[in-house]
Amino acid sequence: MSRHVKTGQEQSLPGHETMKFHVIAAEQRAACLARANRLPELDHVLASVIGTPAESGVRHHLAAALARSGDTGAALEHVRQIIRLDAGNERARKLGYRILLYRAAELARAEQWDGISELLVEAFDLAPPGVDPDRDFGRFGDMLALAHVQAGHRPRAAEMWERRLR
């Protein structure tokens, strides 16, 4: 009777599949808790996955739940953490961008103009591919041009001012 000796790849597959299952399970649990707005339990799930591959997905669901509940500041902090872990995370960039757009509109309604340019600068950095911050934030007029200057996009700011002067 011969015994089959597993290769390194065969031995790692069950472990890899198990880890993948745990990541998916944690993210699905987080999605359900976020949808039910059960933030304390969602915090607990996040604490249990810190440093694992599931962290960014769970953190994303927590950020979305916080944004829906009106705590956009805490939501942005979680989005920033995700981007620190994975700079190319497009899903986090989209969420962060939408939160920044919402916060800028809120500040404009409250006529708190000082904070808007900082939000615009961060939005330029977070903007996912295919998104045009000039279009989305165009209603802020000269503040948008100022934000371009602060973000180091001087030619774009000059172009906006020239167009406005015409």
PDB file of all heavy atoms in Angstrom, residues 95-120:
ATOM      1  N   LEU A  95     -15.442  55.616  -0.644  1.00  0.00           N
ATOM      2  CA  LEU A  95     -16.188  55.952   0.569  1.00  0.00           C
ATOM      3  C   LEU A  95     -15.657  57.245   1.176  1.00  0.00           C
ATOM      4  O   LEU A  95     -16.435  58.146   1.514  1.00  0.00           O
ATOM      5  CB  LEU A  95     -16.112  54.811   1.590  1.00  0.00           C
ATOM      6  CG  LEU A  95     -16.809  55.059   2.927  1.00  0.00           C
ATOM      7  CD1 LEU A  95     -18.304  55.325   2.730  1.00  0.00           C
ATOM      8  CD2 LEU A  95     -16.584  53.868   3.854  1.00  0.00           C
ATOM      9  N   GLY A  96     -14.353  57.358   1.295  1.00  0.00           N
ATOM     10  CA  GLY A  96     -13.751  58.570   1.852  1.00  0.00           C
ATOM     11  C   GLY A  96     -14.087  59.801   1.023  1.00  0.00           C
ATOM     12  O   GLY A  96     -14.405  60.859   1.559  1.00  0.00           O
ATOM     13  N   TYR A  97     -14.032  59.647  -0.279  1.00  0.00           N
ATOM     14  CA  TYR A  97     -14.344  60.754  -1.180  1.00  0.00           C
ATOM     15  C   TYR A  97     -15.789  61.219  -0.984  1.00  0.00           C
ATOM     16  O   TYR A  97     -16.060  62.418  -0.884  1.00  0.00           O
ATOM     17  CB  TYR A  97     -14.108  60.304  -2.623  1.00  0.00           C
ATOM     18  CG  TYR A  97     -14.329  61.375  -3.648  1.00  0.00           C
ATOM     19  CD1 TYR A  97     -13.329  62.306  -3.920  1.00  0.00           C
ATOM     20  CD2 TYR A  97     -15.521  61.462  -4.350  1.00  0.00           C
ATOM     21  CE1 TYR A  97     -13.527  63.290  -4.875  1.00  0.00           C
ATOM     22  CE2 TYR A  97     -15.721  62.431  -5.299  1.00  0.00           C
ATOM     23  CZ  TYR A  97     -14.725  63.352  -5.558  1.00  0.00           C
ATOM     24  OH  TYR A  97     -14.922  64.330  -6.497  1.00  0.00           O
ATOM     25  N   ARG A  98     -16.711  60.266  -0.898  1.00  0.00           N
ATOM     26  CA  ARG A  98     -18.121  60.628  -0.695  1.00  0.00           C
ATOM     27  C   ARG A  98     -18.335  61.314   0.655  1.00  0.00           C
ATOM     28  O   ARG A  98     -19.114  62.256   0.765  1.00  0.00           O
ATOM     29  CB  ARG A  98     -18.993  59.380  -0.789  1.00  0.00           C
ATOM     30  CG  ARG A  98     -19.109  58.854  -2.191  1.00  0.00           C
ATOM     31  CD  ARG A  98     -20.027  57.663  -2.251  1.00  0.00           C
ATOM     32  NE  ARG A  98     -19.998  57.080  -3.570  1.00  0.00           N
ATOM     33  CZ  ARG A  98     -19.855  55.790  -3.802  1.00  0.00           C
ATOM     34  NH1 ARG A  98     -19.741  54.950  -2.806  1.00  0.00           N
ATOM     35  NH2 ARG A  98     -19.839  55.332  -5.024  1.00  0.00           N
ATOM     36  N   ILE A  99     -17.654  60.820   1.674  1.00  0.00           N
ATOM     37  CA  ILE A  99     -17.773  61.445   3.000  1.00  0.00           C
ATOM     38  C   ILE A  99     -17.239  62.872   2.956  1.00  0.00           C
ATOM     39  O   ILE A  99     -17.859  63.786   3.505  1.00  0.00           O
ATOM     40  CB  ILE A  99     -17.041  60.609   4.069  1.00  0.00           C
ATOM     41  CG1 ILE A  99     -17.748  59.268   4.277  1.00  0.00           C
ATOM     42  CG2 ILE A  99     -16.948  61.378   5.383  1.00  0.00           C
ATOM     43  CD1 ILE A  99     -16.960  58.279   5.134  1.00  0.00           C
ATOM     44  N   LEU A 100     -16.117  63.071   2.286  1.00  0.00           N
ATOM     45  CA  LEU A 100     -15.545  64.421   2.182  1.00  0.00           C
ATOM     46  C   LEU A 100     -16.476  65.356   1.413  1.00  0.00           C
ATOM     47  O   LEU A 100     -16.639  66.525   1.793  1.00  0.00           O
ATOM     48  CB  LEU A 100     -14.169  64.370   1.521  1.00  0.00           C
ATOM     49  CG  LEU A 100     -13.081  63.741   2.372  1.00  0.00           C
ATOM     50  CD1 LEU A 100     -11.841  63.460   1.526  1.00  0.00           C
ATOM     51  CD2 LEU A 100     -12.732  64.634   3.559  1.00  0.00           C
ATOM     52  N   LEU A 101     -17.080  64.861   0.364  1.00  0.00           N
ATOM     53  CA  LEU A 101     -18.032  65.666  -0.405  1.00  0.00           C
ATOM     54  C   LEU A 101     -19.220  66.061   0.479  1.00  0.00           C
ATOM     55  O   LEU A 101     -19.644  67.217   0.490  1.00  0.00           O
ATOM     56  CB  LEU A 101     -18.511  64.893  -1.634  1.00  0.00           C
ATOM     57  CG  LEU A 101     -19.421  65.606  -2.614  1.00  0.00           C
ATOM     58  CD1 LEU A 101     -18.766  66.861  -3.159  1.00  0.00           C
ATOM     59  CD2 LEU A 101     -19.776  64.665  -3.767  1.00  0.00           C
ATOM     60  N   TYR A 102     -19.720  65.124   1.249  1.00  0.00           N
ATOM     61  CA  TYR A 102     -20.829  65.397   2.169  1.00  0.00           C
ATOM     62  C   TYR A 102     -20.428  66.423   3.235  1.00  0.00           C
ATOM     63  O   TYR A 102     -21.158  67.370   3.501  1.00  0.00           O
ATOM     64  CB  TYR A 102     -21.277  64.090   2.824  1.00  0.00           C
ATOM     65  CG  TYR A 102     -22.301  64.284   3.911  1.00  0.00           C
ATOM     66  CD1 TYR A 102     -23.638  64.477   3.597  1.00  0.00           C
ATOM     67  CD2 TYR A 102     -21.925  64.308   5.257  1.00  0.00           C
ATOM     68  CE1 TYR A 102     -24.588  64.670   4.592  1.00  0.00           C
ATOM     69  CE2 TYR A 102     -22.863  64.508   6.255  1.00  0.00           C
ATOM     70  CZ  TYR A 102     -24.187  64.687   5.928  1.00  0.00           C
ATOM     71  OH  TYR A 102     -25.114  64.896   6.908  1.00  0.00           O
ATOM     72  N   ARG A 103     -19.245  66.229   3.820  1.00  0.00           N
ATOM     73  CA  ARG A 103     -18.792  67.155   4.870  1.00  0.00           C
ATOM     74  C   ARG A 103     -18.582  68.559   4.321  1.00  0.00           C
ATOM     75  O   ARG A 103     -18.900  69.550   4.987  1.00  0.00           O
ATOM     76  CB  ARG A 103     -17.509  66.643   5.513  1.00  0.00           C
ATOM     77  CG  ARG A 103     -17.776  65.439   6.416  1.00  0.00           C
ATOM     78  CD  ARG A 103     -16.572  65.032   7.167  1.00  0.00           C
ATOM     79  NE  ARG A 103     -16.352  65.982   8.255  1.00  0.00           N
ATOM     80  CZ  ARG A 103     -15.383  65.881   9.127  1.00  0.00           C
ATOM     81  NH1 ARG A 103     -14.534  64.886   9.053  1.00  0.00           N
ATOM     82  NH2 ARG A 103     -15.238  66.770  10.083  1.00  0.00           N
ATOM     83  N   ALA A 104     -18.060  68.668   3.113  1.00  0.00           N
ATOM     84  CA  ALA A 104     -17.864  69.986   2.507  1.00  0.00           C
ATOM     85  C   ALA A 104     -19.211  70.676   2.297  1.00  0.00           C
ATOM     86  O   ALA A 104     -19.348  71.882   2.561  1.00  0.00           O
ATOM     87  CB  ALA A 104     -17.116  69.856   1.186  1.00  0.00           C
ATOM     88  N   ALA A 105     -20.207  69.938   1.853  1.00  0.00           N
ATOM     89  CA  ALA A 105     -21.546  70.516   1.666  1.00  0.00           C
ATOM     90  C   ALA A 105     -22.126  70.964   2.998  1.00  0.00           C
ATOM     91  O   ALA A 105     -22.755  72.031   3.085  1.00  0.00           O
ATOM     92  CB  ALA A 105     -22.464  69.501   0.992  1.00  0.00           C
ATOM     93  N   GLU A 106     -21.926  70.168   4.048  1.00  0.00           N
ATOM     94  CA  GLU A 106     -22.411  70.536   5.387  1.00  0.00           C
ATOM     95  C   GLU A 106     -21.739  71.813   5.878  1.00  0.00           C
ATOM     96  O   GLU A 106     -22.394  72.696   6.434  1.00  0.00           O
ATOM     97  CB  GLU A 106     -22.165  69.394   6.385  1.00  0.00           C
ATOM     98  CG  GLU A 106     -23.044  68.191   6.167  1.00  0.00           C
ATOM     99  CD  GLU A 106     -24.499  68.498   6.451  1.00  0.00           C
ATOM    100  OE1 GLU A 106     -24.808  68.922   7.580  1.00  0.00           O
ATOM    101  OE2 GLU A 106     -25.328  68.302   5.539  1.00  0.00           O
ATOM    102  N   LEU A 107     -20.431  71.920   5.690  1.00  0.00           N
ATOM    103  CA  LEU A 107     -19.713  73.125   6.108  1.00  0.00           C
ATOM    104  C   LEU A 107     -20.182  74.345   5.315  1.00  0.00           C
ATOM    105  O   LEU A 107     -20.298  75.443   5.865  1.00  0.00           O
ATOM    106  CB  LEU A 107     -18.201  72.947   5.950  1.00  0.00           C
ATOM    107  CG  LEU A 107     -17.522  72.007   6.944  1.00  0.00           C
ATOM    108  CD1 LEU A 107     -16.052  71.830   6.595  1.00  0.00           C
ATOM    109  CD2 LEU A 107     -17.666  72.520   8.367  1.00  0.00           C
ATOM    110  N   ALA A 108     -20.460  74.153   4.035  1.00  0.00           N
ATOM    111  CA  ALA A 108     -20.952  75.265   3.216  1.00  0.00           C
ATOM    112  C   ALA A 108     -22.322  75.719   3.698  1.00  0.00           C
ATOM    113  O   ALA A 108     -22.579  76.925   3.792  1.00  0.00           O
ATOM    114  CB  ALA A 108     -21.013  74.845   1.748  1.00  0.00           C
ATOM    115  N   ARG A 109     -23.205  74.780   4.039  1.00  0.00           N
ATOM    116  CA  ARG A 109     -24.523  75.151   4.552  1.00  0.00           C
ATOM    117  C   ARG A 109     -24.403  75.940   5.854  1.00  0.00           C
ATOM    118  O   ARG A 109     -25.182  76.845   6.107  1.00  0.00           O
ATOM    119  CB  ARG A 109     -25.378  73.903   4.794  1.00  0.00           C
ATOM    120  CG  ARG A 109     -26.081  73.409   3.562  1.00  0.00           C
ATOM    121  CD  ARG A 109     -27.201  72.449   3.868  1.00  0.00           C
ATOM    122  NE  ARG A 109     -26.973  71.033   3.902  1.00  0.00           N
ATOM    123  CZ  ARG A 109     -26.395  70.273   2.990  1.00  0.00           C
ATOM    124  NH1 ARG A 109     -25.888  70.798   1.939  1.00  0.00           N
ATOM    125  NH2 ARG A 109     -26.294  68.990   3.104  1.00  0.00           N
ATOM    126  N   ALA A 110     -23.412  75.573   6.665  1.00  0.00           N
ATOM    127  CA  ALA A 110     -23.199  76.253   7.942  1.00  0.00           C
ATOM    128  C   ALA A 110     -22.319  77.497   7.779  1.00  0.00           C
ATOM    129  O   ALA A 110     -22.024  78.169   8.758  1.00  0.00           O
ATOM    130  CB  ALA A 110     -22.562  75.305   8.952  1.00  0.00           C
ATOM    131  N   GLU A 111     -21.907  77.765   6.526  1.00  0.00           N
ATOM    132  CA  GLU A 111     -21.042  78.898   6.200  1.00  0.00           C
ATOM    133  C   GLU A 111     -19.739  78.884   6.999  1.00  0.00           C
ATOM    134  O   GLU A 111     -19.231  79.913   7.421  1.00  0.00           O
ATOM    135  CB  GLU A 111     -21.792  80.220   6.382  1.00  0.00           C
ATOM    136  CG  GLU A 111     -22.965  80.341   5.436  1.00  0.00           C
ATOM    137  CD  GLU A 111     -23.652  81.684   5.501  1.00  0.00           C
ATOM    138  OE1 GLU A 111     -23.177  82.596   6.205  1.00  0.00           O
ATOM    139  OE2 GLU A 111     -24.686  81.829   4.833  1.00  0.00           O
ATOM    140  N   GLN A 112     -19.187  77.697   7.167  1.00  0.00           N
ATOM    141  CA  GLN A 112     -17.886  77.519   7.812  1.00  0.00           C
ATOM    142  C   GLN A 112     -16.853  77.288   6.711  1.00  0.00           C
ATOM    143  O   GLN A 112     -16.397  76.183   6.473  1.00  0.00           O
ATOM    144  CB  GLN A 112     -17.925  76.345   8.788  1.00  0.00           C
ATOM    145  CG  GLN A 112     -18.865  76.553   9.936  1.00  0.00           C
ATOM    146  CD  GLN A 112     -18.948  75.323  10.822  1.00  0.00           C
ATOM    147  OE1 GLN A 112     -18.445  74.259  10.504  1.00  0.00           O
ATOM    148  NE2 GLN A 112     -19.604  75.485  11.957  1.00  0.00           N
ATOM    149  N   TRP A 113     -16.456  78.369   6.068  1.00  0.00           N
ATOM    150  CA  TRP A 113     -15.636  78.289   4.871  1.00  0.00           C
ATOM    151  C   TRP A 113     -14.194  77.872   5.150  1.00  0.00           C
ATOM    152  O   TRP A 113     -13.528  77.348   4.258  1.00  0.00           O
ATOM    153  CB  TRP A 113     -15.671  79.632   4.138  1.00  0.00           C
ATOM    154  CG  TRP A 113     -17.066  80.091   3.879  1.00  0.00           C
ATOM    155  CD1 TRP A 113     -17.700  81.148   4.463  1.00  0.00           C
ATOM    156  CD2 TRP A 113     -18.029  79.493   3.014  1.00  0.00           C
ATOM    157  NE1 TRP A 113     -18.997  81.235   4.003  1.00  0.00           N
ATOM    158  CE2 TRP A 113     -19.221  80.231   3.113  1.00  0.00           C
ATOM    159  CE3 TRP A 113     -17.998  78.391   2.158  1.00  0.00           C
ATOM    160  CZ2 TRP A 113     -20.358  79.912   2.390  1.00  0.00           C
ATOM    161  CZ3 TRP A 113     -19.142  78.075   1.448  1.00  0.00           C
ATOM    162  CH2 TRP A 113     -20.298  78.833   1.558  1.00  0.00           C
ATOM    163  N   ASP A 114     -13.727  78.074   6.364  1.00  0.00           N
ATOM    164  CA  ASP A 114     -12.330  77.769   6.670  1.00  0.00           C
ATOM    165  C   ASP A 114     -11.977  76.296   6.461  1.00  0.00           C
ATOM    166  O   ASP A 114     -10.902  75.980   5.979  1.00  0.00           O
ATOM    167  CB  ASP A 114     -11.993  78.157   8.116  1.00  0.00           C
ATOM    168  CG  ASP A 114     -12.093  79.646   8.357  1.00  0.00           C
ATOM    169  OD1 ASP A 114     -12.092  80.404   7.363  1.00  0.00           O
ATOM    170  OD2 ASP A 114     -12.171  80.049   9.522  1.00  0.00           O
ATOM    171  N   GLY A 115     -12.856  75.407   6.852  1.00  0.00           N
ATOM    172  CA  GLY A 115     -12.544  73.985   6.782  1.00  0.00           C
ATOM    173  C   GLY A 115     -12.723  73.351   5.423  1.00  0.00           C
ATOM    174  O   GLY A 115     -12.226  72.256   5.173  1.00  0.00           O
ATOM    175  N   ILE A 116     -13.408  74.026   4.523  1.00  0.00           N
ATOM    176  CA  ILE A 116     -13.722  73.415   3.234  1.00  0.00           C
ATOM    177  C   ILE A 116     -12.473  73.180   2.392  1.00  0.00           C
ATOM    178  O   ILE A 116     -12.327  72.116   1.790  1.00  0.00           O
ATOM    179  CB  ILE A 116     -14.758  74.254   2.452  1.00  0.00           C
ATOM    180  CG1 ILE A 116     -16.096  74.205   3.185  1.00  0.00           C
ATOM    181  CG2 ILE A 116     -14.911  73.734   1.030  1.00  0.00           C
ATOM    182  CD1 ILE A 116     -17.180  75.039   2.564  1.00  0.00           C
ATOM    183  N   SER A 117     -11.552  74.123   2.365  1.00  0.00           N
ATOM    184  CA  SER A 117     -10.385  73.928   1.491  1.00  0.00           C
ATOM    185  C   SER A 117      -9.554  72.726   1.942  1.00  0.00           C
ATOM    186  O   SER A 117      -9.015  71.998   1.112  1.00  0.00           O
ATOM    187  CB  SER A 117      -9.536  75.184   1.405  1.00  0.00           C
ATOM    188  OG  SER A 117      -8.875  75.446   2.613  1.00  0.00           O
ATOM    189  N   GLU A 118      -9.457  72.474   3.246  1.00  0.00           N
ATOM    190  CA  GLU A 118      -8.735  71.294   3.729  1.00  0.00           C
ATOM    191  C   GLU A 118      -9.419  70.009   3.247  1.00  0.00           C
ATOM    192  O   GLU A 118      -8.748  69.056   2.856  1.00  0.00           O
ATOM    193  CB  GLU A 118      -8.659  71.294   5.253  1.00  0.00           C
ATOM    194  CG  GLU A 118      -7.762  72.356   5.829  1.00  0.00           C
ATOM    195  CD  GLU A 118      -7.798  72.366   7.349  1.00  0.00           C
ATOM    196  OE1 GLU A 118      -8.145  71.327   7.953  1.00  0.00           O
ATOM    197  OE2 GLU A 118      -7.470  73.413   7.921  1.00  0.00           O
ATOM    198  N   LEU A 119     -10.742  70.009   3.295  1.00  0.00           N
ATOM    199  CA  LEU A 119     -11.484  68.842   2.819  1.00  0.00           C
ATOM    200  C   LEU A 119     -11.267  68.632   1.323  1.00  0.00           C
ATOM    201  O   LEU A 119     -11.134  67.499   0.858  1.00  0.00           O
ATOM    202  CB  LEU A 119     -12.975  68.993   3.112  1.00  0.00           C
ATOM    203  CG  LEU A 119     -13.395  68.986   4.576  1.00  0.00           C
ATOM    204  CD1 LEU A 119     -14.898  69.239   4.694  1.00  0.00           C
ATOM    205  CD2 LEU A 119     -13.030  67.680   5.244  1.00  0.00           C
ATOM    206  N   LEU A 120     -11.236  69.730   0.587  1.00  0.00           N
ATOM    207  CA  LEU A 120     -11.035  69.628  -0.856  1.00  0.00           C
ATOM    208  C   LEU A 120      -9.659  69.061  -1.178  1.00  0.00           C
ATOM    209  O   LEU A 120      -9.517  68.212  -2.065  1.00  0.00           O
ATOM    210  CB  LEU A 120     -11.208  70.995  -1.519  1.00  0.00           C
ATOM    211  CG  LEU A 120     -12.593  71.625  -1.436  1.00  0.00           C
ATOM    212  CD1 LEU A 120     -12.584  73.013  -2.049  1.00  0.00           C
ATOM    213  CD2 LEU A 120     -13.631  70.757  -2.101  1.00  0.00           C
TER     214      LEU A 120
END
